[in-house]
Amino acid sequence: MKDEVALLATVTLLGVLLQAYFSLKVISARRTFRVSPPLTTGPPEFERVYRAQVNCSEYFPVFLATLWVAGIFFHEGLAAGPGRIPRSPGVPEPVRSPDSARPPGAAALCGLLYLLARLRYFQGYSCSAQRRLAPLYASARVLWLLVALAALGLLAHFFPTALRASLLGRLRTLLPRA
């Protein structure tokens, strides 16, 4: 079980550390621009750093929820092991050792891309409001991809086993490495 969620847990911890970094940057900006708590207004340079941190914090719960749901449920039909969904007739099982269950890599990779885009967003917004836009759009695309993976995973989870096996068999013919 732990091996199957280790990547998700790693990305989650990296996300928490990134949020802590953003908070430290706000503390530093408060000192630099002499904006004492609880004030949230000050020079534009401070307000950009503050807004960047707040915007990243607002999306963090959505990111975490979609990361874990996508990682667990989208991966569910692709993992090796006791709960594996049977393949369609005529599609051979790949040869794997018993301990070679694949971790939920698609969701973890999306999570890393999201965190990288959010870091670039924070850095861009801290410099100028205009420089936040490209990373903002990139992080939104990755977040929507996570939402889609989570939704597909949950939808597949509730399909009858035969229908799920048939759909996965068709998917495997389109994506041979899946």
Side-chain angles (χ1 to χ4, degrees), residues 8 11 63 66-72 74 104-112 146 149:
L8 296 175
V11 172
F63 163 68
T66 56
L67 173 72
W68 280 88
V69 173
I72 291 169
F74 184 76
L109 178 61
C110 286
L112 285 175
L146 277 171
L149 293 177

Side-chain angles (χ1 to χ4, degrees), residues 1-154:
M1 166 76 180
K2 284 194 277 186
D3 289 341
E4 292 178 358
V5 297
L7 286 176
L8 296 175
T10 302
V11 172
T12 299
L13 182 59
L14 288 173
V16 169
L17 292 173
L18 190 61
Q19 292 296 312
Y21 168 75
F22 296 157
S23 295
L24 290 173
K25 294 302 275 186
V26 171
I27 292 169
S28 176
R30 283 187 180 281
R31 290 180 182 148
T32 300
F33 300 109
R34 296 188 164 131
V35 179
S36 298
L39 296 176
T40 57
T41 59
E45 296 83 1
F46 166 77
E47 289 184 11
R48 285 194 308 267
V49 172
Y50 177 77
R51 285 304 316 154
Q53 185 267 332
V54 170
N55 290 348
C56 290
S57 295
E58 289 170 346
Y59 279 91
F60 196 61
V62 176
F63 163 68
L64 287 178
T66 56
L67 173 72
W68 280 88
V69 173
I72 291 169
F73 286 94
F74 184 76
H75 168 67
E76 183 179 86
L78 303 176
R84 182 175 177 95
I85 299 166
R87 287 183 173 260
S88 297
V91 177
E93 287 284 338
V95 178
R96 293 193 180 128
S97 65
D99 60 340
S100 67
R102 287 182 293 168
L109 178 61
C110 286
L112 285 175
L113 291 174
Y114 177 83
L115 294 176
L116 179 63
R118 275 303 178 172
L119 176 61
R120 288 181 52 231
Y121 167 83
F122 184 88
Q123 291 169 335
Y125 201 172
S126 295
C127 293
S128 79
Q130 187 63 30
R131 288 185 56 191
R132 80 190 194 288
L133 294 177
L136 173 67
Y137 298 145
S139 66
R141 283 190 292 271
V142 175
L143 193 58
W144 278 111
L145 179 58
L146 277 171
V147 168
L149 293 177
L152 287 172
L154 283 170

